[in-house]
Amino acid sequence: MDKNLKLQTLVLHFLNSRLTLPIKPSTPLPNSLMAENRVSMPYTGHLVLFSYPYQGHINPMIQLARTLHSRGFFITIVHTDYNAPHLEPSPGFSIESICLGLSNQEAREMDKVELVLVLNEKCRPPFRALMEDLQSRKGGVPVSCLITDAVMYFTQDLAEELGIKRMAFRTSSSTSTLGFQAIREKGYLDERADTSDELVPDLSPIRFKDLPFVKTKYPDYFSLFISSFTSKSFRASALIFNTSDSLESPALEKIRPQCRGPVYAIGPLNLPSSSSILLEDDKCISWLDTQPPRSVVYTSFGSIAGLDSSQVMEIAWGLANSGRPFLWVVRSDLVNGLNTAGLPSGFMDQVGSCGLVVEWAPQKKVLAHRAVGAFWTHCGWNSTLESICAGVPMACWPQFSDQRVNSRLICHVWGVGAEMRREVERGEVEMVVRRLLEREGEEMRERASELKKVVEKSLGKGGSSYDALESLILQLMSC
Ligand code: UDP
């Protein structure tokens, strides 16, 4: 049996064993959309946007939606009932939810590779029903193009079956896409991929240990996932990246010849709006108002990363011992296997007003605040871009997947971050925080502020991201 067929048979078997819950039919369509859709259209076209249901994917997709809406397109946002964002319909902007029958508990019990396969499989029937409904609604606006997350690879085949154009939107770095490709095509799934300092051939300066490896019980499925999401994104009518040629030109140049359609690097998408799943705690802004300029280290490891309690202990005491003010996002599910983050007892009493812990912060506002001098980050792509847009240097502590590639770009290519060891240790935390906030961090801060200007230029009229967005809009208008 050929390797792909064997993998597909395996994955079907696996999915059958996981999909114990019946797939519920799609939720009834909201009336708001129907009313909106019947209006004869002053719009340039009707775009349906569909994200992978995680914060780091939803945020850039909503930013893209708002950007395209502001350019005259009617937008339908489709999201899953699992991890639904808080969104309001508005004129020219409608929201649809599809029902998956997937509980938070079930999702939590799956590893990340398993989950992405299950989500692709579970989304297919209700998403298909919704698309057929949108296409056939009497008086409705025909869909001109689908824009879906590259990770939701099932939408490529579906779009082809339904005769609708699909563009893929990759919400992470283009360099990480090449990293994924290398893992699969060159078979870098061995131990070396996790530890070696050796440079990956044709991918310098990425080292083997920077490859976007994801720990999984199912390496074959990981390989299948990579091949599905890359090959189907490359086959789409266009591939959109939330990045800029000014940041990642070498990787984009390697991807372009592999794609059937154009590749648009239109980022960083950085509108001030929010699409948080969790409630943002605004009190941190008034706390930041009381801190001196560039004195605070903002610490957050994004929406997915999980830590164990000994890591939380090291982070907590490292921050406290640095003697610098800190704002730390501790999600209620940050600690693996527990429902509470379990800060060390007496920690907040000892820290007093020098530190603030919140469950979820308005991150862009925080990074833009004059009191923030450094960002200790897990290097998720959105966090990376948001920090660059704010000109804030980073302490880099990647956990898995694309975060490792992004960290290498931050520290080695752009020189706006300090790499931290994988094993977190309070002494190192204390040292890195001080280094970034004190005189030693001055040079890095200057580079961060230069990089911010470079990126702003690419977004301004005549810049590469500006031009890419204009070309994307032209293509969308002709769909
Ligand atoms: N974020 C936020 N508040 C927080 C922590 C994160 O709004 O307290 C947002 C952050 O601004 C970013 C997203 O969540 O847009 C996280 O995406 P990223 O790609 O950085 O990491 P992921 O969560 O995908 O690992």
Side-chain angles (χ1 to χ4, degrees), residues 295-433:
S295 63
V296 174
V297 57
Y298 169 59
T299 304
S300 167
F301 309 119
S303 62
I304 308 172
L307 308 180
D308 61 41
S309 39
S310 65
Q311 291 174 311
V312 170
M313 203 68 82
E314 294 305 306
I315 294 166
W317 292 121
L319 287 172
N321 296 344
S322 76
R324 302 293 175 275
F326 65 86
L327 169 61
W328 182 13
V329 176
V330 180
R331 299 186 331 265
S332 59
D333 61 349
L334 183 68
V335 178
N336 288 325
L338 289 178
N339 232 359
T340 156
L343 292 177
S345 69
F347 173 70
M348 285 319 293
D349 290 342
Q350 186 163 327
V351 166
S353 62
C354 195
L356 183 69
V357 172
V358 293
E359 279 202 24
W360 194 250
Q363 182 161 300
K364 282 190 204 168
K365 280 193 215 161
V366 166
L367 287 167
H369 198 285
R370 55 158 189 80
V372 171
F375 181 14
W376 181 9
T377 172
H378 70 309
C379 308
W381 188 238
N382 297 288
S383 295
T384 302
L385 293 178
E386 288 160 15
S387 206
I388 290 173
C389 288
V392 174
M394 291 166 257
C396 298
W397 192 48
Q399 302 296 300
F400 63 92
S401 188
D402 62 315
Q403 299 159 15
R404 296 149 51 128
V405 180
N406 304 340
S407 168
R408 183 68 170 162
L409 295 173
I410 296 167
C411 301
H412 191 84
V413 178
W414 310 317
V416 295
E419 188 178 345
M420 297 184 71
R421 281 203 302 267
R422 239 174 236 181
E423 289 307 315
V424 64
E425 189 275 318
R426 64 189 75 184
E428 193 201 12
V429 174
E430 185 183 335
M431 188 198 60
V432 172
V433 167

Side-chain angles (χ1 to χ4, degrees), residues 57-313:
H57 294 251
I58 292 169
N59 286 359
M61 186 63 91
I62 300 297
Q63 299 261 319
L64 178 61
R66 292 197 204 286
T67 303
L68 296 173
H69 178 249
S70 75
R71 301 297 296 267
F73 291 93
F74 185 96
I75 304 290
T76 297
I77 294 278
V78 182
H79 64 75
T80 60
D81 59 345
Y82 166 72
N83 261 353
H86 306 287
L87 298 170
E88 297 289 333
S90 57
F93 207 109
S94 75
I95 320 287
E96 295 277 0
S97 172
I98 56 170
C99 181
L100 302 188
L102 178 72
S103 70
N104 286 346
Q105 184 60 29
E106 277 181 296
R108 250 198 305 274
E109 282 167 9
M110 293 181 204
D111 84 17
K112 294 184 174 64
V113 169
E114 192 179 3
L115 186 60
V116 74
L117 294 173
V118 167
L119 281 169
N120 267 277
E121 208 56 30
K122 278 192 173 255
C123 285
R124 186 194 308 266
F127 189 78
R128 185 191 181 104
L130 174 65
M131 289 307 298
E132 285 171 345
D133 187 81
L134 285 176
Q135 287 298 67
S136 63
R137 256 179 225 176
K138 209 159 164 246
V141 182
V143 175
S144 35
C145 190
L146 256 178
I147 302 182
T148 58
D149 198 306
V151 164
M152 287 303 211
Y153 51 82
F154 82 90
T155 54
Q156 181 60 37
D157 293 338
L158 181 65
E160 286 166 12
E161 280 165 38
L162 298 177
I164 303 172
K165 295 227 162 60
R166 178 232 178 185
M167 294 187 181
F169 181 35
R170 180 69 183 131
T171 58
S172 188
S173 55
S174 54
T175 315
S176 70
T177 301
L178 289 178
F180 278 114
Q181 211 184 13
I183 287 178
R184 174 171 156 86
E185 287 179 2
K186 306 274 177 10
Y188 297 146
L189 278 162
D190 58 24
E191 197 54 18
R192 190 170 58 146
D194 213 27
T195 53
S196 166
D197 277 322
E198 217 182 295
L199 293 176
V200 177
D202 299 326
L203 220 56
S204 174
I206 304 301
R207 302 159 299 186
F208 278 93
K209 68 180 188 189
D210 304 318
L211 284 173
F213 195 66
V214 179
K215 279 206 165 64
T216 175
K217 289 175 271 177
Y218 312 102
D220 275 353
Y221 303 140
F222 184 40
S223 183
L224 177 72
F225 159 68
I226 297 173
S227 95
S228 302
F229 106 78
T230 52
S231 67
K232 290 178 190 188
S233 310
F234 293 175
R235 205 169 82 207
S237 300
L239 176 54
I240 307 166
F241 276 101
N242 185 20
T243 189
S244 161
D245 269 287
S246 63
L247 291 173
E248 290 195 278
S249 171
L252 288 162
E253 287 316 313
K254 282 190 182 141
I255 291 173
R256 285 195 167 103
Q258 302 188 57
C259 292
R260 190 164 76 179
V263 172
Y264 300 115
I266 60 166
L269 293 161
N270 195 34
L271 302 173
S273 62
S274 149
S275 40
S276 273
I277 298 172
L278 298 173
L279 200 64
E280 292 173 348
D281 187 341
D282 272 322
K283 75 169 174 290
C284 54
I285 300 297
S286 38
W287 180 82
L288 284 172
D289 289 342
T290 66
Q291 304 299 324
R294 289 186 178 165
S295 63
V296 174
V297 57
Y298 169 59
T299 304
S300 167
F301 309 119
S303 62
I304 308 172
L307 308 180
D308 61 41
S309 39
S310 65
Q311 291 174 311
V312 170
M313 203 68 82

